[in-house]
Short mmCIF file of all heavy atoms in Angstrom, two decimals:
data_model
loop_
_atom_site.label_atom_id
_atom_site.label_comp_id
_atom_site.label_asym_id
_atom_site.label_seq_id
_atom_site.Cartn_x
_atom_site.Cartn_y
_atom_site.Cartn_z
N GLN R 223 -45.73 257.42 8.58
CA GLN R 223 -45.63 255.97 8.74
C GLN R 223 -44.58 255.32 7.84
O GLN R 223 -44.14 254.21 8.12
CB GLN R 223 -47.00 255.33 8.50
CG GLN R 223 -48.03 255.75 9.55
CD GLN R 223 -49.39 255.12 9.34
OE1 GLN R 223 -50.18 255.58 8.54
NE2 GLN R 223 -49.68 254.05 10.05
N HIS R 324 -52.46 263.68 7.42
CA HIS R 324 -52.60 262.36 8.03
C HIS R 324 -51.82 262.41 9.35
O HIS R 324 -50.83 261.70 9.54
CB HIS R 324 -52.08 261.29 7.08
CG HIS R 324 -52.61 259.90 7.36
ND1 HIS R 324 -53.18 259.09 6.40
CD2 HIS R 324 -52.63 259.17 8.50
CE1 HIS R 324 -53.54 257.93 6.94
NE2 HIS R 324 -53.21 257.95 8.21
N TRP R 325 -52.22 263.35 10.21
CA TRP R 325 -51.92 263.35 11.65
C TRP R 325 -50.60 263.99 12.09
O TRP R 325 -50.34 264.08 13.28
CB TRP R 325 -51.99 261.93 12.22
CG TRP R 325 -53.29 261.24 11.96
CD1 TRP R 325 -54.41 261.75 11.36
CD2 TRP R 325 -53.63 259.90 12.31
NE1 TRP R 325 -55.40 260.81 11.32
CE2 TRP R 325 -54.95 259.66 11.89
CE3 TRP R 325 -52.93 258.88 12.95
CZ2 TRP R 325 -55.60 258.43 12.09
CZ3 TRP R 325 -53.56 257.66 13.14
CH2 TRP R 325 -54.89 257.44 12.71
N ASN R 368 -57.38 262.96 6.97
CA ASN R 368 -57.61 261.54 7.21
C ASN R 368 -58.15 261.35 8.62
O ASN R 368 -57.50 261.74 9.60
CB ASN R 368 -56.29 260.76 7.09
CG ASN R 368 -56.49 259.28 7.45
OD1 ASN R 368 -57.09 258.54 6.70
ND2 ASN R 368 -56.01 258.87 8.62
N GLU R 369 -59.32 260.75 8.73
CA GLU R 369 -59.88 260.31 10.01
C GLU R 369 -59.77 261.36 11.13
O GLU R 369 -59.07 261.14 12.12
CB GLU R 369 -59.20 259.01 10.47
CG GLU R 369 -59.37 257.85 9.52
CD GLU R 369 -58.94 256.51 10.12
OE1 GLU R 369 -58.56 256.47 11.29
OE2 GLU R 369 -59.01 255.49 9.40
N ASN R 497 -62.71 254.74 5.48
CA ASN R 497 -61.77 253.75 6.01
C ASN R 497 -62.55 252.80 6.91
O ASN R 497 -63.23 253.25 7.84
CB ASN R 497 -60.67 254.42 6.83
CG ASN R 497 -59.77 255.32 5.98
OD1 ASN R 497 -59.88 255.34 4.75
ND2 ASN R 497 -58.88 256.04 6.64
N TYR R 499 -62.35 249.01 9.08
CA TYR R 499 -61.59 247.85 9.56
C TYR R 499 -62.45 246.85 10.31
O TYR R 499 -62.33 245.65 10.10
CB TYR R 499 -60.43 248.31 10.46
CG TYR R 499 -59.37 249.05 9.69
CD1 TYR R 499 -59.40 250.44 9.55
CD2 TYR R 499 -58.36 248.35 9.04
CE1 TYR R 499 -58.44 251.11 8.80
CE2 TYR R 499 -57.39 249.01 8.29
CZ TYR R 499 -57.43 250.38 8.18
OH TYR R 499 -56.49 251.03 7.43
N GLU R 565 -59.19 253.13 2.82
CA GLU R 565 -58.37 252.19 3.61
C GLU R 565 -59.23 250.99 3.99
O GLU R 565 -60.37 251.14 4.42
CB GLU R 565 -57.87 252.81 4.92
CG GLU R 565 -56.76 253.81 4.78
CD GLU R 565 -56.29 254.36 6.12
OE1 GLU R 565 -56.40 253.65 7.16
OE2 GLU R 565 -55.81 255.51 6.13
N TRP R 614 -55.07 249.13 2.71
CA TRP R 614 -54.10 249.56 3.72
C TRP R 614 -53.36 248.33 4.16
O TRP R 614 -53.96 247.44 4.74
CB TRP R 614 -54.79 250.23 4.92
CG TRP R 614 -53.74 250.72 5.85
CD1 TRP R 614 -53.14 250.04 6.88
CD2 TRP R 614 -53.10 252.01 5.79
NE1 TRP R 614 -52.17 250.82 7.47
CE2 TRP R 614 -52.12 252.02 6.81
CE3 TRP R 614 -53.22 253.12 4.96
CZ2 TRP R 614 -51.29 253.13 7.04
CZ3 TRP R 614 -52.40 254.22 5.20
CH2 TRP R 614 -51.46 254.21 6.22
N GLU R 621 -46.99 251.71 12.81
CA GLU R 621 -48.42 251.70 13.12
C GLU R 621 -48.68 252.50 14.41
O GLU R 621 -49.11 251.98 15.43
CB GLU R 621 -48.92 250.25 13.21
CG GLU R 621 -50.38 250.06 13.59
CD GLU R 621 -51.38 250.98 12.89
OE1 GLU R 621 -51.21 251.27 11.70
OE2 GLU R 621 -52.33 251.42 13.56
N TRP R 622 -48.37 253.81 14.34
CA TRP R 622 -48.68 254.75 15.41
C TRP R 622 -48.26 254.23 16.78
O TRP R 622 -47.11 253.80 16.92
CB TRP R 622 -50.17 255.14 15.33
CG TRP R 622 -50.54 255.60 13.93
CD1 TRP R 622 -51.36 254.95 13.04
CD2 TRP R 622 -50.05 256.76 13.23
NE1 TRP R 622 -51.42 255.64 11.85
CE2 TRP R 622 -50.63 256.75 11.93
CE3 TRP R 622 -49.18 257.82 13.55
CZ2 TRP R 622 -50.37 257.75 10.98
CZ3 TRP R 622 -48.93 258.82 12.60
CH2 TRP R 622 -49.52 258.77 11.35
N PHE R 630 -49.27 245.68 8.52
CA PHE R 630 -50.46 245.81 7.68
C PHE R 630 -50.14 245.69 6.18
O PHE R 630 -51.05 245.75 5.36
CB PHE R 630 -51.10 247.19 7.89
CG PHE R 630 -52.09 247.29 9.02
CD1 PHE R 630 -51.70 247.67 10.30
CD2 PHE R 630 -53.44 247.00 8.80
CE1 PHE R 630 -52.63 247.77 11.33
CE2 PHE R 630 -54.36 247.10 9.83
CZ PHE R 630 -53.96 247.48 11.10
C1 FCB N 1945 -56.15 254.01 10.28
C2 FCB N 1945 -55.10 255.02 9.90
C3 FCB N 1945 -53.91 254.42 9.19
C4 FCB N 1945 -53.52 253.08 9.77
C5 FCB N 1945 -54.72 252.17 9.91
C6 FCB N 1945 -54.41 250.80 10.44
O1 FCB N 1945 -56.90 254.50 11.35
O2 FCB N 1945 -55.65 256.00 9.07
O3 FCB N 1945 -52.87 255.34 9.24
O4 FCB N 1945 -52.84 253.24 10.95
O5 FCB N 1945 -55.68 252.78 10.71
#
Side-chain angles (χ1 to χ4, degrees):
Q223 295 181 278
H324 201 129
W325 305 356
N368 175 72
E369 300 192 3
N497 295 353
Y499 291 92
E565 286 181 28
W614 184 271
E621 178 44 38
W622 308 112
F630 272 92

